Amino acid sequence: MSRIALSDLNVAGFDDFVAVLENVVEYSPWIAQQAAARRPFAGINPLLDAIKAAIASAEPAEQLALIRAHPDLANKAQRAAGLTLDSSAEQNSAGLDRLSDAEYAAFERANKAYREKFGIPYIVCARRHTKDSILRDFDARLQNIAKTETRRALEEISRIAALRLDQLVVADDKLKVHGRLSTHVLDNYTGRPATGIPVELVELAALGESRVIARAVTNADGRTDQPLIGGRPLPIGRYELRFSVARYYAERNVQLPDPPFLDEIPLRFAISEAEGHYHVPLLVTPWSYSTYRGS
């Protein structure tokens, strides 16, 4: 996706401005039209505020039409008919394009129950979630009243708009839409960072298959060269970090039993703050390990 400088947007013609931002909110170019009238913007945060203000100040009928312009999640018929490129990418980011039969059935039931109760599609910012956390969110929100769900839907639309805007517009200021997951390994046996340990990050699934979403090897500082997740929200959900440590100690001539007491170490944890920084280190010896949430 090509990006545009905010300074260029500020001086663009009205129609050009709207053409750039008309898909920031699904099938609702009137929001971009209202934002265009409030230029110039000192930063991307004021631009997002203008988009949120247009949504919040709309008449109830306009807000309802805005909500109904969004597709259901993991709906096979709607996917076959064609989602917008943004919606497709957002649903794919949560793994909704590769669900098991049991997961598709669970989403079908959830979508049906939600529409029957509220008369609108369930809307969530999929980039902030795993498929498991979306299903849990469905269950929680089905307990709400219609007024609450209308408000929640508009809040989620604003979150979706913020992430689309972040991908589209370059500005000196930044939107607070990204999280970061990092790790490091400290060899407590030698008191040094552990170099060359393979690390896998696995997204755990309740119904379908768990999947490896990142692989790395620790560097001379015992860290990975890049965050395991960075430059995007941390999808809310359950994870496992797997560290292969037996070979590391064998290569350093540490006497290990056969088979070694510790070979692959799994650390299970959960992410609940999509825009947070989670640092999940491993402190290890050939016979013990520990972890904590760092920063």
Side-chain angles (χ1 to χ4, degrees):
M1 179 185 298
S2 59
R3 303 180 74 194
I4 185 170
L6 179 62
S7 57
D8 292 335
L9 268 180
N10 276 331
V11 298
F14 182 89
D15 290 341
D16 291 336
F17 179 97
V18 173
V20 171
L21 297 186
E22 63 182 350
N23 293 323
V24 166
V25 181
E26 196 89 348
Y27 293 118
S28 303
W30 57 271
I31 294 174
Q33 292 167 3
Q34 289 195 23
R38 299 181 64 172
R39 289 180 292 172
F41 297 104
I44 194 171
N45 282 280
L47 171 55
L48 177 61
D49 289 341
I51 290 170
K52 289 181 177 180
I55 294 172
S57 63
E59 294 296 324
E62 289 180 306
Q63 292 180 338
L64 185 60
L66 169 61
I67 292 169
R68 287 177 172 166
H70 288 72
D72 289 329
L73 293 181
N75 184 297
K76 289 184 178 180
Q78 290 180 349
R79 293 188 74 90
L83 300 174
T84 65
L85 291 176
D86 287 313
S87 285
S88 181
E90 287 156 1
Q91 293 201 26
N92 293 356
S93 74
L96 303 188
D97 59 331
R98 48 188 179 274
L99 299 177
S100 66
D101 289 342
E103 288 170 327
Y104 266 121
F107 272 91
E108 256 185 45
R109 289 192 299 271
N111 278 318
K112 182 179 179 182
Y114 190 92
R115 276 190 176 272
E116 285 179 351
K117 181 170 183 178
F118 300 115
I120 57 175
Y122 164 85
I123 299 175
V124 72
C125 182
R127 291 190 187 277
R128 302 180 71 251
H129 287 267
T130 59
K131 53 193 176 183
D132 278 13
S133 70
I134 291 174
L135 287 172
R136 289 197 301 273
D137 191 59
F138 257 121
D139 289 340
R141 288 170 58 179
L142 276 168
Q143 309 310 310
N144 292 334
I145 61 174
K147 184 177 181 180
T148 299
E149 275 311 291
T150 298
R151 175 180 56 78
R152 281 294 304 274
L154 295 174
E155 289 172 354
E156 293 297 321
I157 288 170
S158 292
R159 283 176 164 163
I160 294 167
L163 281 165
R164 291 183 181 183
L165 200 63
D166 176 70
Q167 292 181 314
L168 192 58
V169 177
V170 179
D172 291 335
D173 61 333
K174 304 296 180 186
L175 295 172
K176 295 181 179 180
V177 294
H178 296 164
R180 184 156 64 104
L181 172 63
S182 57
T183 188
H184 79 268
V185 183
L186 177 63
D187 179 0
N188 276 350
Y189 182 68
T190 63
R192 297 177 180 176
T195 304
I197 291 186
V199 182
E200 286 186 341
L201 175 65
V202 180
E203 179 189 307
L204 301 174
L207 291 177
E209 292 185 2
S210 299
R211 61 185 181 121
V212 177
I213 58 174
R215 289 185 174 92
V217 177
T218 57
N219 56 27
D221 292 325
R223 303 176 183 274
T224 58
D225 290 338
Q226 301 295 329
L228 295 168
I229 302 177
R232 62 185 177 95
L234 299 178
I236 297 166
R238 298 177 305 114
Y239 295 85
E240 183 175 279
L241 273 170
R242 297 172 182 167
F243 302 86
S244 298
V245 301
R247 174 182 281 187
Y248 166 83
Y249 283 115
E251 290 174 346
R252 283 153 183 80
N253 298 317
V254 177
Q255 293 300 310
L256 302 174
D258 186 15
F261 179 63
L262 294 177
D263 186 356
E264 182 176 79
I265 296 176
L267 295 182
R268 289 198 169 188
F269 62 98
I271 286 173
S272 58
E273 305 164 35
E275 293 76 36
H277 177 198
Y278 286 72
H279 185 67
V280 186
L282 176 70
L283 289 71
V284 64
T285 78
W287 311 280
S288 64
Y289 65 90
S290 63
T291 190
Y292 57 90
R293 180 179 172 180
S295 62

